[in-house]
Amino acid sequence: MNWKDLKKRKIDGNELVIAIAQDYEDKQVAMVAFQDKEAFDKTKKTGELWLYSTSKKKLWKKGEVSGNVMLVKQVLVDCDADAILYLVILTGGACHKGYESCFFRTIEGNVVGKKLFDPDNVY
Amino acid sequence: MNWKDLKKRKIDGNELVIAIAQDYEDKQVAMVAFQDKEAFDKTKKTGELWLYSTSKKKLWKKGEVSGNVMLVKQVLVDCDADAILYLVILTGGACHKGYESCFFRTIEGNVVGKKLFDPDNVY
């Protein structure tokens, strides 16, 4: 399946697919973001996760600043082909707030995730 | 955290958040979809997963036709508060194509998921 076969959604003005990163080892969902064609193709070519930042409006290699890149082990696609599930090896915290996963707190605000680094030392 | 605290994205013309359903038991990602305020509030109130269908443009209870509802055990929110991770008990296949998860195939097209029912007998 190539980029043309995926169902793009109009997200904040861009034609994107949803990209979920899940830890290949412990199955924790690490993050959810988006990909454009360039991010999709670069991920396929390099084996590292690339994304499209809707806030910065540009291609973005996950971990380009922190060094915590994500190494892609398996790529799954959902039934309506608008979302990709990347099973990845994490090389450090996924979250820019220092946590292993971006889903580090409950909806009630309780922190349940593991903190791996202090963002002030990294960004 | 309430609906007003979440960061809504403009998705196919609607103000929505991303909702991921993950199996509470085996940690498989079951599906990804979207929620509007009504779906978010009904999920909180009922303990079952409700979504907003961008194709049908309406509120949608997961499993309303198939009976395969999702029972919410834990609700996590990501760092930028635009996505919710629902840890759920599946009561049957998540996918309208009969599979346990909507992510039942690789990007190369190989089926790797478990088929639980024949959609022709359900829909």
Side-chain angles (χ1 to χ4, degrees), chain A residues 9-69:
Chain A
R9 286 186 179 271
K10 190 95 172 178
I11 297 170
D12 294 343
N14 307 284
E15 300 284 323
L16 304 172
V17 297
I18 298 167
I20 301 170
Q22 183 179 22
D23 190 319
Y24 181 74
E25 285 160 351
D26 72 8
K27 307 302 179 205
Q28 186 174 204
V29 175
M31 67 178 299
V32 60
F34 305 101
Q35 287 186 316
D36 63 356
K37 181 180 188 306
E38 198 178 358
F40 175 81
D41 287 345
K42 280 195 89 95
T43 299
K44 197 179 207 174
K45 190 176 169 188
T46 64
E48 295 180 323
L49 189 63
W50 290 73
L51 299 159
Y52 176 83
S53 168
T54 55
S55 56
K56 294 178 186 164
K57 297 187 187 303
K58 66 177 183 110
L59 185 72
W60 158 49
K61 180 181 167 181
K62 181 63 196 169
E64 66 189 0
V65 176
S66 66
N68 301 334
V69 298

Side-chain angles (χ1 to χ4, degrees), chain B residues 66-101:
Chain B
S66 66
N68 301 334
V69 299
M70 294 186 180
L71 308 175
V72 176
K73 291 287 286 181
Q74 192 178 28
V75 187
L76 302 176
V77 62
D78 74 348
C79 47
D80 54 2
D82 68 342
I84 302 174
L85 179 61
Y86 288 98
L87 281 296
V88 299
I89 302 287
L90 300 174
T91 63
C95 183
H96 73 291
K97 294 197 172 178
Y99 292 88
E100 195 169 39
S101 163

Side-chain angles (χ1 to χ4, degrees), chain A:
Chain A
M1 194 174 272
N2 296 307
W3 179 256
K4 68 174 171 46
D5 307 309
L6 296 169
K7 180 183 156 198
K8 274 68 80 179
R9 286 186 179 271
K10 190 95 172 178
I11 297 170
D12 294 343
N14 307 284
E15 300 284 323
L16 304 172
V17 297
I18 298 167
I20 301 170
Q22 183 179 22
D23 190 319
Y24 181 74
E25 285 160 351
D26 72 8
K27 307 302 179 205
Q28 186 174 204
V29 175
M31 67 178 299
V32 60
F34 305 101
Q35 287 186 316
D36 63 356
K37 181 180 188 306
E38 198 178 358
F40 175 81
D41 287 345
K42 280 195 89 95
T43 299
K44 197 179 207 174
K45 190 176 169 188
T46 64
E48 295 180 323
L49 189 63
W50 290 73
L51 299 159
Y52 176 83
S53 168
T54 55
S55 56
K56 294 178 186 164
K57 297 187 187 303
K58 66 177 183 110
L59 185 72
W60 158 49
K61 180 181 167 181
K62 181 63 196 169
E64 66 189 0
V65 176
S66 66
N68 301 334
V69 298
M70 294 187 180
L71 309 174
V72 177
K73 290 287 287 183
Q74 190 178 27
V75 187
L76 302 176
V77 62
D78 75 346
C79 47
D80 55 2
D82 68 342
I84 302 174
L85 178 61
Y86 287 98
L87 280 296
V88 299
I89 303 287
L90 300 174
T91 63
C95 184
H96 72 292
K97 294 198 171 178
Y99 292 88
E100 194 169 40
S101 162
C102 292
F103 295 93
F104 63 84
R105 57 190 166 148
T106 67
I107 195 88
E108 295 84 15
N110 300 316
V111 171
V112 292
K114 197 192 291 180
K115 195 157 188 175
L116 298 184
F117 65 87
D118 181 343
D120 289 342
N121 297 335
V122 172
Y123 298 102

